Amino acid sequence: MKVFHLSAECYPVAKVGGLADVVGALPKYLNNELAEASVVMPKYANEWMENHTFETVLQGSAPLGDWHFDFSIERETENTLGFPLYVVDIPGRFDRRGIYTDADTGNSYWDDFERFASFQIAVLDWFNRMKKKPHLLHCHDHHTGLVPFMLTECYRYDDLKHIPTVLTVHNAEYHGEFDRGKGYMLPDFDERNFGLLDWDGKLNCLAAGLKTCWQITTVSESYMKELSYNSNGLELLFQNEQQKSRGIINGIDTSVWDPDNDPMIAHSYNKRKTADGKRKNKKVLCEKFGLDPQYPTISFIGRLVHEKGADLLPDLFRSFLESEQSVNFIVLGTGNRELHHQFESMSNRFIGYFDATLDYNESLAHQIYAGSDFMIMPSRVEPCGLNQMYCMRYGTVPIVRNVGGLKDTVIDISRDDGYGFTFNDFTFHAAHDAVQRAIDLFKDGRKMAGIRKRIMNLDFSWNASSKEYIKMYNELIE
């Protein structure tokens, strides 16, 4: 079974969010299940690309509206990722430092439609020239949402119409919306079917993919249900497409996220030596941030944006920092500038109890997972969430809002089989109660040790999920 994953991101090649982690891990596990899985993505001008070698597979030219563009398909020669990685080099479109936004200004690129439309056209032109066609194309988010549309509607790809397409929605907050006039840049199709590209008067790449793909998946069962009433304007479409939709929970790459073999943490440990490993790593972490390791340490890792609920954190943290309780808080992330200012102010005010690194730092993230007692995720929207799985892999107890994939992966400690802290409402009081319960658990050393042992024995690997994908692929191909 020959499967190609089409994506804008892939860890560690290029990463903005959880999409990269999924695309960088799932193909490895699919290949273990005897699938032949590869990844195709744009060739960005970043450090990873510059430090790896590629060989050209195909050079070509393809139409984009009234003009043509040149492209080359290149394969990474060393098979560094454990699966074949192909990149599409389009001069002038992706040879920039930022993936979605200008690295200097932070603004979205003016030619975003042209960038990703040309990427998808180049990939399909490559498949068109293959003697042995792919068995299935697995598209990820709106950046590849035009592929199912072009396969079903564009005359140029008539020889590919029989190939099943899967579209996985990692985050339905982002649709890839553009002016309808952009649609005429695509290869020729019957204009009477232009409505397949349209949603609410805009060209909507995600909507086009949802309408025309063979199978829709999302990254957790709960998120699949939530999309029918909360998908930033696509609720009716998700309702209409329920018959071809399913949720499959993400996994994590346990070879990357392994406290026993993680070069990014100060002290390695496993589930038999959790207490000693956590103590040593917490000491290193607290020294870095100027905190006292005897106090419970609660961390947040993620983008400082609305959907992650980051705006709840300043007041929540201050309520404890201004109380008589002794507790440490750590923030790692970047995003909203107002939140940056608040966290900088809090770092200066609550020296010894709070600190923030307002940046993206992969190695520091690993050390925070290893050294923290708790990880908080107060998300408004969380399609699956990976941080809660990462932190539990390192014996760190999650504090999460009961939404999306968080609901599917964290069971509240109040239940006999529970191992984390959950809250339902996105309110200060609900989050405060969950954090307070976590602090109370920390005071009970024996119970805390038992919870740590329980979460480190949980299996959040891709093993089970990859089997679900293989089963789905076979159903589509048959």
Side-chain angles (χ1 to χ4, degrees), residues 155-404:
Y155 308 128
R156 187 179 182 87
Y157 305 118
D158 281 346
D159 290 344
L160 305 176
K161 282 182 180 289
H162 66 284
I163 300 177
T165 52
V166 175
L167 176 59
T168 294
V169 181
H170 297 263
N171 192 337
E173 291 291 298
Y174 306 100
H175 300 171
E177 288 185 329
F178 301 94
D179 184 272
R180 281 170 51 93
K182 298 280 189 182
Y184 297 104
M185 291 187 177
L186 302 179
D188 290 342
F189 60 92
D190 188 339
E191 293 184 13
R192 291 174 297 181
N193 295 332
F194 195 97
L196 293 171
L197 291 170
D198 179 272
W199 192 260
D200 197 24
K202 297 280 188 69
L203 190 162
N204 188 308
C205 297
L206 182 59
L210 296 173
K211 294 174 186 177
T212 55
C213 71
W214 291 34
Q215 178 77 56
I216 299 167
T217 71
T218 58
V219 290
S220 70
E221 291 184 13
S222 291
Y223 188 57
M224 185 76 259
K225 296 173 184 175
E226 290 171 9
L227 289 175
S228 64
Y229 59 85
N230 183 18
S231 49
N232 199 18
L234 292 181
E235 293 80 9
L236 182 60
L237 181 54
F238 277 105
Q239 293 170 26
N240 291 340
E241 302 295 346
Q242 283 182 355
Q243 75 283 355
K244 65 174 183 182
S245 303
R246 69 173 75 180
I248 301 176
I249 194 75
N250 280 341
I252 62 173
D253 189 340
T254 53
S255 64
V256 173
W257 299 96
D258 179 10
D260 204 17
N261 294 284
D262 189 340
M264 298 187 195
I265 66 175
H267 301 279
S268 60
Y269 61 100
N270 54 43
K271 56 189 175 184
R272 294 187 303 276
K273 299 179 179 179
T274 304
D276 187 52
K278 292 293 291 184
R279 179 180 55 78
K280 289 179 179 178
N281 280 290
K282 184 178 181 180
K283 184 174 185 292
V284 171
L285 179 67
C286 288
E287 284 177 353
K288 174 176 178 54
F289 285 103
L291 309 176
D292 190 331
Q294 70 175 306
Y295 302 138
T297 299
I298 301 171
S299 298
F300 172 88
I301 298 176
R303 290 178 294 125
L304 303 178
V305 295
H306 180 267
E307 67 187 83
K308 295 297 183 182
D311 52 307
L312 191 66
L313 296 178
D315 286 343
L316 177 64
F317 290 171
R318 274 193 292 260
S319 69
F320 288 97
L321 294 168
E322 292 171 347
S323 73
E324 295 181 358
Q325 298 186 89
S326 294
V327 56
N328 299 325
F329 292 101
I330 294 172
V331 170
L332 172 63
T334 182
N336 182 277
R337 293 296 142 185
E338 173 57 31
L339 287 177
H340 279 223
H341 295 321
Q342 290 199 55
F343 288 136
E344 288 168 351
S345 174
M346 290 170 63
S347 295
N348 293 326
R349 180 184 173 193
F350 300 109
I351 295 172
Y353 295 94
F354 175 88
D355 205 358
T357 295
L358 302 173
D359 196 3
Y360 174 77
N361 186 319
E362 185 74 17
S363 59
L364 179 56
H366 283 242
Q367 187 61 47
I368 292 174
Y369 288 123
S372 300
D373 298 303
F374 304 96
M375 181 71 54
I376 186 165
M377 298 177 68
S379 306
R380 283 185 174 87
V381 179
E382 195 63 67
C384 175
L386 294 173
N387 286 7
Q388 80 279 16
M389 300 184 203
Y390 296 151
C391 78
M392 287 188 278
R393 178 81 168 144
Y394 287 72
T396 297
V397 182
I399 307 170
V400 305
R401 183 161 173 255
N402 215 11
V403 64

Side-chain angles (χ1 to χ4, degrees), residues 6-21:
L6 281 60
S7 175
E9 300 178 38
C10 176
Y11 178 84
V13 185
K15 173 181 166 67
V16 172
L19 165 64
D21 297 288

Side-chain angles (χ1 to χ4, degrees), residues 23-62:
V23 177
L26 176 57
K28 286 193 284 188
Y29 286 80
L30 291 174
N31 289 337
N32 291 339
E33 297 295 326
L34 304 180
E36 186 182 338
S38 306
V39 170
V40 190
M41 65 180 296
K43 187 174 186 180
Y44 303 107
N46 64 19
E47 185 177 351
W48 197 97
M49 297 285 187
E50 293 170 358
N51 291 334
H52 291 78
T53 57
F54 296 84
E55 60 181 359
T56 300
V57 175
L58 173 74
Q59 288 184 319
S61 177

